[in-house]
Amino acid sequence: MKTQVAIIGAGPSGLLLGQLLHNAGISNVILERQTPDYVLGRIRAGVLEQGMVELLRKAGVHQRMDREGLVHTGVELAVRGRRVHIDLHGLTGGKTVMIYGQTEVTRDLMQAREAAGALTVYGAANVEPQGMKSDAPWLTYEKDGELQRLDCDYIAGCDGFHGIARQAIPAEVLQTFERVYPFGWLGILADTPPVNEELVYASHERGFALCSMRSATRTRYYVQVDADEKVENWSDQRFWDELKSRLPADLAERMVTGPSIEKSIAPLRSFVVEPMQYGRMFLVGDAAHIVPPTGAKGLNLAASDVSTLFDILLKVYREGRTDLLEQYSPICLRRVWKAERFSWWMTSMLHRFPDADPFSQRIQQTELDYFVDSQAGRQTIAENYVGLPYEKVQ
Ligand code: APR
Ligand code: PHB
């Protein structure tokens, strides 16, 4: 089999890149290890920056998002019981975010790909990128026990943090940067009305908590837990009690509780690999970088990588601009590092660190007080939260 762009991974990165390329008449095939149901079964992020919303519109997969997504013009921080409103719209010259789950984005992209008749090979085992440094790279994989080969011009490694693409690059070529945090997030999904119209990020001496949502009838709430905590130790009742204990009294009082539909613990990690290119293979999204979820940046960074790679490939195929291929990694990394910094900073400012000495605790409290009490501080949070601009490819 032969295609122009071979994509590894049918998560949001791979599907969005595939859709943009397909619409532009550039052929592509996606190889995905799992089944569609497995991919859709993962509960992930839910806040889309305006840049990502516009990219989904450009890809033509916006109809349901525009109908069902919730536009949020602000976000709240709860600081030791005090509620502070961050006016995203007012502080950024009119920008907003869209609340629409990653699962729904993925579902819409899968349907659009099916309707377009573009090929996704699900259940592709032992995918291996080959010849990345040559002019004619290819992938080998196994499907139903048979070895297959996919020839291509370029490979997009959209296969997430545990994928093969990054691992297929010789270790001496890559530099990795990493931080693991001494806590995780215990999250639940429940069919209950959101406690507040806007998301609430709460800093509390018992630990961080976040009140998010998927719709007017479905909530996604999180509490900070120890890194080695087990989900079996958390009954629904214990979760609700702990969440309420970390929120301002008025929010805790009006919290509607209910049975959880999903409950899981996610570790928090910052990770970046440089460069994001090896010959004719490009790393996209979680394959190249991970952020802790506190800034809601993971999915949005995947989208900006996709946008950059798509713009470059379009110019390569339409105008012969192969000189731009070397620009992919530097353009992406400039934005990636800014989002890494924001995610690390929000995480550092809002969580309880088990080993923090009294001086560090006071500095942490003061930093948060300073930022929420100052217009400049709130503006800094807002500017980053709605998403920094995409760099133009030229
Ligand atoms: N071969 C084929 N497919 C693979 C392989 C492999 N060796 N390894 C992983 N995959 C698939 C996974 O099954 C998954 O469907 O690649 C896909 C990667 O998807 P994600 O992990 O969702 O990564 P990405 O598409 O970059 O999405 C952006 O940002 O912060 C996060 O929550 C956010 O998951 C989202 C991500
Ligand atoms: C979510 O809704 O899952 C969510 C929202 C905001 C975050 C992280 C996760 O910062």
Side-chain angles (χ1 to χ4, degrees):
M1 196 163 36
K2 181 158 177 46
T3 192
Q4 287 174 302
V5 181
I7 300 173
I8 312 173
S13 299
L15 288 165
L16 182 52
L17 178 65
Q19 195 63 27
L20 289 161
L21 290 172
H22 177 87
N23 294 346
I26 300 170
S27 68
N28 62 91
V29 171
I30 303 183
L31 302 181
E32 164 62 52
R33 187 168 53 180
Q34 306 287 354
T35 63
D37 284 347
Y38 178 92
V39 174
L40 286 173
R42 295 176 298 202
I43 309 295
R44 296 269 181 91
V47 179
L48 311 187
E49 294 172 353
Q50 203 154 307
M52 177 163 189
V53 168
E54 280 157 21
L55 192 63
L56 288 167
R57 291 196 184 121
K58 181 163 149 183
V61 282
H62 57 290
Q63 293 83 358
R64 195 161 69 94
M65 171 187 74
D66 282 333
R67 240 182 6 255
E68 298 176 14
L70 308 172
V71 174
H72 278 202
T73 57
V75 65
E76 264 194 36
L77 298 186
V79 183
R80 298 186 301 284
R82 178 165 68 108
R83 295 173 60 186
V84 179
H85 178 242
I86 308 285
D87 177 7
L88 298 174
H89 187 267
L91 289 164
T92 61
K95 293 194 181 145
T96 58
V97 293
M98 174 82 82
I99 307 302
Y100 191 65
Q102 177 175 327
T103 313
E104 305 314 314
V105 172
T106 308
R107 197 188 308 278
D108 295 346
L109 283 163
M110 278 180 175
Q111 280 175 2
R113 188 166 178 87
E114 205 180 326
L119 179 62
T120 308
V121 180
Y122 286 97
N126 296 323
V127 173
E128 273 186 46
Q130 319 256 14
M132 292 92 91
K133 283 288 201 184
S134 77
D135 287 349
W138 74 96
L139 295 167
T140 53
Y141 63 99
E142 283 163 31
K143 175 69 183 168
D144 300 327
E146 287 197 23
L147 188 66
Q148 308 281 345
R149 174 175 169 138
L150 174 61
D151 288 281
C152 58
D153 301 331
Y154 301 101
I155 300 172
C158 303
D159 50 353
F161 183 60
H162 301 287
I164 186 65
R166 190 181 67 249
Q167 292 171 41
I169 301 173
E172 63 272 18
V173 174
L174 295 179
Q175 198 176 358
T176 59
F177 303 83
E178 188 164 23
R179 175 145 309 179
V180 177
Y181 300 87
F183 39 73
W185 278 17
L186 168 64
I188 72 162
L189 194 66
D191 278 328
T192 55
V195 68
N196 192 44
E197 245 177 86
E198 295 178 343
L199 268 59
V200 183
Y201 289 80
S203 159
H204 189 274
E205 61 190 18
R206 292 183 66 83
F208 171 79
L210 169 60
C211 301
S212 181
M213 66 193 75
R214 289 289 174 275
S215 71
T217 54
R218 178 165 285 190
T219 45
R220 180 75 170 151
Y221 294 140
Y222 300 92
V223 292
Q224 172 188 350
V225 293
D226 290 343
D228 58 359
E229 187 60 75
K230 296 277 173 290
V231 73
E232 301 80 63
N233 296 336
W234 288 81
S235 65
D236 287 357
Q237 190 59 48
R238 182 177 174 203
F239 179 89
W240 291 114
D241 290 345
E242 188 61 40
L243 176 65
K244 287 198 253 182
S245 77
R246 299 181 187 188
L247 295 175
D250 56 337
L251 289 180
E253 269 161 35
R254 67 173 198 235
M255 172 74 68
V256 180
T257 64
S260 63
I261 313 171
E262 194 263 3
K263 199 190 291 163
S264 55
I265 295 180
L268 268 67
R269 181 196 296 268
S270 299
F271 175 90
V272 182
V273 73
E274 293 184 4
M276 289 169 59
Q277 175 191 7
Y278 180 66
R280 287 186 169 233
M281 181 168 79
F282 302 87
L283 300 179
V284 182
D286 277 20
H289 42 72
I290 295 286
V291 287
T294 326
K297 290 286 163 254
L299 178 59
N300 292 300
L301 274 186
S304 55
D305 290 352
V306 166
S307 176
T308 303
L309 186 56
F310 171 67
D311 287 351
I312 289 176
L313 289 174
L314 198 60
K315 286 190 196 286
V316 166
Y317 281 109
R318 294 216 173 138
E319 302 164 27
R321 292 285 309 277
T322 48
D323 60 299
L324 289 174
L325 293 164
E326 297 293 319
Q327 288 302 310
Y328 173 73
S329 181
I331 291 178
C332 288
L333 285 168
R334 282 191 280 273
R335 191 172 192 277
V336 164
W337 272 112
K338 286 178 182 164
E340 288 283 343
R341 186 209 66 83
F342 178 65
S343 306
W344 161 85
W345 178 70
M346 287 282 279
T347 303
S348 309
M349 196 165 59
L350 294 172
H351 289 73
R352 194 180 67 80
F353 282 73
D355 297 333
D357 59 32
F359 180 83
S360 308
Q361 287 173 20
R362 281 288 188 274
I363 289 290
Q364 185 194 32
Q365 285 175 7
T366 307
E367 183 169 30
L368 188 51
D369 286 342
Y370 165 69
F371 271 87
V372 299
D373 289 337
S374 135
Q375 154 102 0
R378 289 192 299 275
Q379 191 164 16
T380 292
I381 294 172
E383 176 182 51
N384 284 278
Y385 195 81
V386 299
L388 296 172
Y390 288 14
E391 197 175 311
K392 221 172 136 44
V393 172
Q394 48 204 351

